Amino acid sequence: MMRRNIRRRAGSFIAALFLTAPAHADVLVDNVEGLTLTADGQTQRFTGVLVDDNGRVQQLFQRGDKRPARVDYRLDGKSRVLMPGLIDSHVELMKLGIAALTLDLSGTRSLAEAQAKIAAYAAAHPDLPWIMGYGWNQEQWGLSRYPVAAEIDAAVRDKPVWLIRADGHAGWANSAALAAAGIAAASKDPVGGRIERIAGTPRPAGVLVGSAAGMVERKLPPPRPEDLDQALADVQQRLLERGITAVADMGTTIEAWQAYRRAGDLGTLRLRILAYAQGTEAMALIGGPGPSPWLYEDRLRFNGVLLQLDGALGSRGAALKAPYADQPAGRGLNLITDTQLKNLMSRAAIDRFQVAVAATGDKAVATLLDAIEDQAPTYTGDRRWRIEHAELVDPADFPRFARNGLAVSMQPQALLSGLGMAEARLGAPRLAGAYAWKSLAAAGARLAFGSGAPAGQLKPFADIAVATTRHGGDAQPFGGWQPQERLTRESALAAYTTGAAWAGFADGRLGRIAIGQRADFLLVDRDPLLASPADLRGLRVLQTWVGGRLVWQAKEANAGARR
């Protein structure tokens, strides 16, 4: 896949930059406006941090405290803000890396613009057997329907084209791709999927929703190990430059896991990865008898499994208790049955793998809560069952989140795409449980925030601004959408640090600048707890440190360091 389109610059750049800070040395970062959150969510301030030669925080200093006379490496922070590295709780890491090597339609604002980009990309890459891409969204194009295969054919007809929708739960194919997958009028909808049809006929229109997308994806040329290695090198830099020092990788394959291990063995793994397999078969291949130990100085751990219960609201695949307001005949897609869900959860839990379940609609969330309550008496102890997305929750189910130590992994920017779409899909009376961050936290859930990339964008500070304002920066609607669900700055930052660490069984290691924890921190150009929402959206990361070592810095940043 993409054999002649692989970029070779990022891996060597990161490796060279990594050498700017010494390996296994005492490091003092001084003269900073430091901040972190305590275990109970309070803000702690400091002016200096000492990192030991194992990459852990050894001491925090207040103004006036005596500093050590001799250290191996000393950095003058020049009164800049130092804060914990961010943890993105929901990334499809390898898909994000591979997507960067394919066609990006996320910025297109019309069908015509998307068609032009498809045609231009195909012309620029005549050697590719398939044209692949991601990011289209008919809502952004002002279409009241899905696009069709003929609209790709108008741009590219001579080879298969497969384009993933922005939410990751539907794909758009041209006629050649449909033919390659054997999808025709007689094809049946698979369980948990839907083949969109041309109105009034059985002929496939070109969009495949839910599990139906797999009918095409099974025909795609697989990436080579070299492609995966390069994708990982590229995506690490993108994450680190945005201040993300750790991710929960949702949907790890055995091939991706081997790429992570190769990077760890070679010393090029800069990011911390908490891996969750795509289904129980991959779980058994990767983990065998149980979760892995922490590897490569806490840079890699195999935690558990991701199960998919339903689809997305945007493609009307989220499973709902009542019909869609704009499609009364539909209630979404159930990708697996209730019994299958419980069996898969049991298969994972019996070997102490952590279970994460993607449940978007209120029916799917209620089904998962039922399953957890059914399993909890058998699988006791600290399980930290994870619910991914939970974009719509029936308010009647809020009290159930107080039980069984649930972690709710959500993506704040999903609210932005949902501002108009959710109202159309659900109708005003059902919006009380939409993107209900504050209500879920008040009910006892532990929030963990992430981007959902590649379906979402890597903009963590903009996410924090969304969580505290409930709008996208345009102040519309006035006061924010469903403003009763706004979070405080501290709560939103916690969801990207301490809450995210807790959700991945990484608390005590990651998420805080505290004695004994890994020294993952950022130098940024303003205080995220004091900046205005507009300034927060524009916050710049100047340096990123992982394990007490500098792994990325802005070109214009003056390190101010000396030995």
Side-chain angles (χ1 to χ4, degrees), residues 238-506:
R238 294 175 60 196
L239 289 157
L240 294 169
E241 70 185 15
R242 288 161 175 79
I244 297 167
T245 55
V247 298
D249 179 33
M250 290 293 167
T252 309
T253 63
I254 184 61
E255 293 83 3
W257 177 257
Q258 294 295 350
Y260 305 156
R261 292 299 304 264
R262 286 193 294 273
D265 291 343
L266 293 171
T268 59
L269 187 61
R270 312 299 177 222
L271 192 70
R272 301 193 192 277
I273 302 173
L274 307 175
Y276 295 79
Q278 181 65 61
T280 53
E281 289 186 11
M283 176 194 78
L285 281 173
I286 297 169
S292 78
W294 290 88
L295 304 169
Y296 311 116
E297 297 180 329
D298 294 347
R299 281 184 170 80
L300 181 64
R301 184 175 190 257
F302 182 65
N303 273 16
V305 64
L306 173 70
L307 306 174
Q308 296 280 350
L309 190 49
D310 68 343
L313 274 173
S315 49
R316 298 187 185 85
L320 304 183
K321 291 184 175 182
Y324 279 86
D326 58 355
Q327 192 182 74
R331 295 192 182 212
L333 297 173
N334 296 296
L335 303 183
I336 53 178
T337 67
D338 298 5
T339 299
Q340 287 172 324
L341 173 65
K342 291 178 181 178
N343 287 341
L344 292 170
M345 290 173 65
S346 178
R347 166 67 186 88
I350 197 169
D351 287 328
R352 301 204 66 84
F353 290 107
Q354 188 184 13
V355 176
V357 181
T360 298
D362 54 2
K363 175 63 165 62
V365 171
T367 297
L368 177 54
L369 291 171
D370 290 342
I372 291 172
E373 290 172 0
D374 178 76
Q375 303 266 321
T378 301
Y379 303 109
T380 57
D382 187 4
R383 294 291 177 158
R384 301 189 196 182
W385 310 93
R386 289 180 61 127
I387 301 178
E388 306 297 314
H389 309 316
E391 292 183 15
L392 179 66
V393 180
D394 185 342
D397 288 325
F398 285 159
R400 303 173 69 187
F401 282 82
R403 307 167 199 161
N404 303 313
L406 302 187
V408 184
S409 169
M410 307 181 78
Q411 298 75 50
Q413 63 191 270
L415 176 137
L416 302 182
S417 61
L419 285 176
M421 178 269 294
E423 294 185 13
R425 296 287 187 270
L426 304 172
R430 298 162 65 189
L431 296 177
Y435 314 102
W437 309 318
K438 187 173 181 179
S439 293
L440 289 172
R446 191 72 175 266
L447 296 184
F449 280 167
S451 64
Q457 298 182 14
L458 297 172
K459 296 183 176 181
F461 292 103
D463 286 350
I464 293 171
V466 170
T468 57
T469 63
R470 302 282 291 189
H471 63 70
D474 56 0
Q476 297 298 321
F478 179 76
W481 191 79
Q482 302 289 326
Q484 72 278 3
E485 295 295 345
R486 288 193 302 248
L487 295 176
T488 65
R489 296 284 182 85
E490 291 78 8
S491 296
L493 180 59
Y496 253 116
T497 53
T498 55
W502 186 89
F505 280 100

Side-chain angles (χ1 to χ4, degrees), residues 54 105 110 138 255 281 397:
N54 291 314
L105 296 175
S110 69
Q138 81 281 5
E255 293 83 3
E281 289 186 11
D397 288 325

Side-chain angles (χ1 to χ4, degrees), residues 144-155:
S144 58
R145 59 170 176 83
Y146 281 129
V148 297
E151 289 163 331
I152 305 181
D153 293 344

Side-chain angles (χ1 to χ4, degrees), residues 526-544:
R526 64 200 71 184
D527 189 326
L529 298 181
L530 300 177
S532 69
D535 285 344
L536 185 56
R537 288 182 170 89
L539 184 147
R540 293 180 58 249
V541 177
L542 304 175
Q543 293 186 357
T544 302

Side-chain angles (χ1 to χ4, degrees), residues 125-156:
H125 300 87
D127 57 327
L128 295 179
W130 281 67
I131 300 298
M132 289 177 279
Y134 71 101
W136 63 270
N137 185 347
Q138 81 281 5
E139 303 288 342
Q140 291 181 350
W141 298 344
L143 287 184
S144 58
R145 59 170 176 83
Y146 281 129
V148 297
E151 289 163 331
I152 305 181
D153 293 344
V156 178

Side-chain angles (χ1 to χ4, degrees), residues 1-3 6 94 98 128-130 132 216-228 253 255:
M1 176 180 178
M2 311 307 296
R3 296 186 182 210
I6 300 301
M94 201 54 80
I98 291 292
L128 295 179
W130 281 67
M132 289 177 279
V216 170
E217 290 175 345
R218 285 189 287 272
K219 301 297 182 180
L220 299 177
R224 302 171 304 165
E226 304 97 296
D227 301 336
L228 297 176
T253 63
E255 293 83 3

